[in-house]
């Protein structure tokens, strides 16, 4: 029975990967935009020099790359979530309660469909899922 509880993840990369990628790319965009505008205002006293110089090329490159990464991660997240739900599971626990929640790294079933989402550190949830798989 433990083979049933330790199912493999069908969709690679998982929706969890895309969720984390979305957060990181959005934070990168916020930091790059804030750093650039704050630096320019602090050192020049105005935004008139915002579009000139070699450093502005690096700044705009950082902005556009982080915007691109954010957009790609949004699309990847949407596609991965649909594929996972069609396969009967999810790796993002709070979105879909009607399918089982599997650990994104191990494939362990951490929540059965319709049950409340367990809380706590992922190590303890994995330990509990392995113990439940051994009991059955």
């Amino acid at each position: 029975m433990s083979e049933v509880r330790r199912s493999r993840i069908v969709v690679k990369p998982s929706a969890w990967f895309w969720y984390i990628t979305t957060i990181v790319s959005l934070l990168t965009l916020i930091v790059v935009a804030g750093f650039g505008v704050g630096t320019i205002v602090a050192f020049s006293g105005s935004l008139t020099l915002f579009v000139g110089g070699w450093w502005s090329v690096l700044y705009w490159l950082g902005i556009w790359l982080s915007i691109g990464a954010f957009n790609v991660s949004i699309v990847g997240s949407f596609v991965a979530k649909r594929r996972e739900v069609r396969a009967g599971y999810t790796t993002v626990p709070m979105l879909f309660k009607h399918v089982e929640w599997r650990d994104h790294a191990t494939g362990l079933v951490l929540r059965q469909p319709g049950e409340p989402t367990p809380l706590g550190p992922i190590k303890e949830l994995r330990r509990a899922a392995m113990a439940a798989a051994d009991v059955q």
Side-chain angles (χ1 to χ4, degrees):
M1 277 285 196
S2 64
E3 291 178 19
V4 174
R5 302 283 297 174
R6 187 187 289 245
S7 304
R8 66 185 184 92
I9 301 295
V10 178
V11 180
K12 293 286 185 168
S14 68
W16 179 257
F17 168 82
W18 287 112
Y19 174 73
I20 297 299
T21 304
T22 301
I23 291 172
V24 168
S25 62
L26 181 60
L27 291 175
T28 302
L29 177 60
I30 291 169
V31 167
V32 168
F35 177 74
V37 172
T39 302
I40 291 167
V41 170
F43 288 114
S44 70
S46 69
L47 290 175
T48 57
L49 299 175
F50 192 58
V51 292
W54 63 269
W55 51 268
S56 73
V57 172
L58 294 177
Y59 171 75
W60 287 108
L61 183 64
I63 291 288
W64 286 110
L65 286 176
S66 55
I67 288 172
F70 180 72
N71 288 332
V72 167
S73 66
I74 291 291
V75 171
S77 176
F78 177 75
V79 170
K81 284 187 275 188
R82 281 189 64 188
R83 285 184 184 163
E84 285 182 356
V85 170
R86 285 182 181 170
Y89 71 93
T90 185
T91 55
V92 183
M94 299 310 227
L95 293 180
F96 305 101
K97 302 270 186 186
H98 66 283
V99 295
E100 64 186 18
W101 170 34
R102 294 187 191 168
D103 180 30
H104 65 279
T106 64
L108 288 168
V109 177
L110 302 176
R111 180 197 71 212
Q112 292 296 327
E115 292 181 359
T117 301
L119 301 175
I122 192 68
K123 288 182 180 181
E124 291 182 20
L125 295 176
R126 287 175 182 157
R127 191 175 302 128
M130 290 190 68
D134 290 339
V135 169
Q136 294 179 354

